[in-house]
Amino acid sequence: MTKKKAQKKTKAKKSKVTKKKKTTKKTSSVKKTVKGLDFVYDPAPESKAVVHIQNKYDHFIAGKFVAPNSGKYMKSINPATEEVLTKHAVGDEKDVDRAVKAARVAYEGVWSKMPAEERGRYLYRIARILQERSREFAVAETLDGGKPIKESRDVDIPLAAAHFFYYAGWADKLEYAFPGKSVRSIGVCGQIIPWNFPLLMAAWKLAPALAAGNCVVLKPAEQTSLTAMLLAEVLQEAELPDGVVNIVTGEGPTGAALVAHPDVNKIAFTGSTDIGKLIAKNVAHTTKKLTLELGGKSANIVYEDAAIDQAVEGVVNGIYFNQGHVCCAGSRLLLEESIAKDFLKKLQKRMKTIRVGDPLDKNTDLGAINHKEQWEKIKTLVDQGKEEGGDFYQAECKLPSKGYFFSPCYFAKQSGSSLISRLEIFGPVLSVSTFRTPDEAITKANDTPYGLAAGIWSEKGSKIHKTANGLKAGVIWANTYNKFDPTSPFGGFFESGYGREGGLHGLLPYLEVK
Ligand code: NAI
Ligand code: MG
């Protein structure tokens, strides 16, 4: 081909591309456009038809669904539409007592006597059924809690199954888990979980407890009990012996009744620091074991030598993942002063492309805030933060007219004593400050009553190690954030609670070790 011909061809190609672009632009006016992007996504909603949701759910006690003693049910709302999704039984002391008795009978009669490899087999079976029904569980989780389908599909459900697989493997190897020690189960465990990762938190709690040979009464969060009730169906399908796992739904008083029950040997709680402290007080005069996984105000530290674009992505994932409803969310960003201005520019640009909206849409990055009260808490704190001053930035997102949605935002240049930099907000709200030296970064990161997690972004291994050694946090990520694995222990310091979940450490709270 001559040079001229080749040039002509490229020209023709170019004009074709421009033509194409023009057509896309034309059609895009009827599509949902994302500000700051020169391309658009068509809606790609996941089907609701894959899950059958009943009008109401009863407790799951001794292998059967049983109506609540009080006859009362509570509404469960889809936070993306504000519509009633279903109703759940409200448990009282009598329901809790019935469940604890069923767990005790199963423990004494069946579960503690069963060969350990048999126990493991049941856990494998549960894991496999969860995998088989994963699409259904993902849709249910998204409808119930407002989280984007891509998260429930790619994070919550696979990780829940992975926890059952992982602990299934330990069930008949407990003597190798703690060499030279003798271990035995502790009995009946009461487990109380929150609304941010409903099925995953159930799996975190149930899998190690059952592998260790205990029986359980689980109390899901009142806002998000749906996948726990679907899990009850899975337990029936797996033919888990009656009473090994019992699920009593309800609000705070139901949880309190479980904590107060005299025949419960251990309480495991994940939730707010206030309720964690209350539970600690209530079991202090008993022989009950207790583990608490509470809140956080975790720092993401970015050094000037970090891979900046990667760090921006990590910071976005750290705070805006799951609407910021993550106990270990990277809710405080500490930037080395020399890069702060440029970093925030890049962060703003990235925030503009976050897609907020229908959680069932496979393109959605940020779904609905889990429930109305949490939305109100976030709104109130952000309004108070604005009054406190500093620089406030919020991405301009077109929010759906119904549902509890909140655009991602950050506060910079506020004082270290501001509400936004100190309180756990549990929403898509980031607090930004700067530092000049690694020591200052460590001091600022540790300046919180919590100690759950932290992130460090740097290309220098020595700097990462030095910083990590100075941080008082249970989990520290380097050049990544929010990475979870069943083999890895998770838990906090100070007001973030005590005890570990995950890995070998996660078995310990469910065993007597001699
Ligand atoms: P919460 O601590 O009240 O609820 C967590 C669980 O505890 C639920 O199942 C609830 O029914 C139960 N509960 C409530 N009162 C109880 C009591 N007296 N005894 C026993 N169980 C009880 O948390 P809430 O009100 O839903 O959220 C408030 C704040 O807590 C959030 O804004 C967030 O900051 C934080 N939080 C932290 C979580 C974490 O993963 N660490 C999870 C959920 C909330
Ligand atoms: Mg509460």
Side-chain angles (χ1 to χ4, degrees), residues 209-286:
L210 299 180
N214 304 286
C215 291
V216 173
V217 178
L218 178 77
K219 209 295 280 173
E222 53 271 37
Q223 301 86 352
T224 55
S225 302
L226 180 59
T227 46
M229 299 325 294
L230 296 183
L231 179 64
E233 293 173 12
V234 169
L235 303 180
Q236 280 185 331
E237 215 178 315
E239 295 176 7
L240 187 76
D242 294 349
V244 172
V245 173
N246 307 275
I247 304 174
V248 180
T249 49
E251 299 178 306
T254 315
L258 184 56
V259 171
H261 198 288
D263 200 29
V264 168
N265 304 102
K266 183 211 153 59
I267 293 290
F269 172 80
T270 298
S272 63
T273 297
D274 286 349
I275 300 295
K277 283 181 180 172
L278 185 71
I279 292 176
K281 219 190 260 174
N282 289 346
V283 303
H285 60 285
T286 72

Side-chain angles (χ1 to χ4, degrees), residues 363-395:
N363 295 319
T364 294
D365 301 310
L366 222 152
I369 301 302
N370 188 276
H371 50 281
K372 193 165 176 236
E373 293 74 18
Q374 186 61 27
W375 185 89
E376 282 164 352
K377 174 185 166 180
I378 297 168
K379 170 93 175 58
T380 306
L381 281 171
V382 166
D383 288 346
Q384 288 175 353
K386 285 182 193 165
E387 274 170 31
E388 283 182 323
D391 290 349
F392 175 69
Y393 175 78
Q394 186 159 35

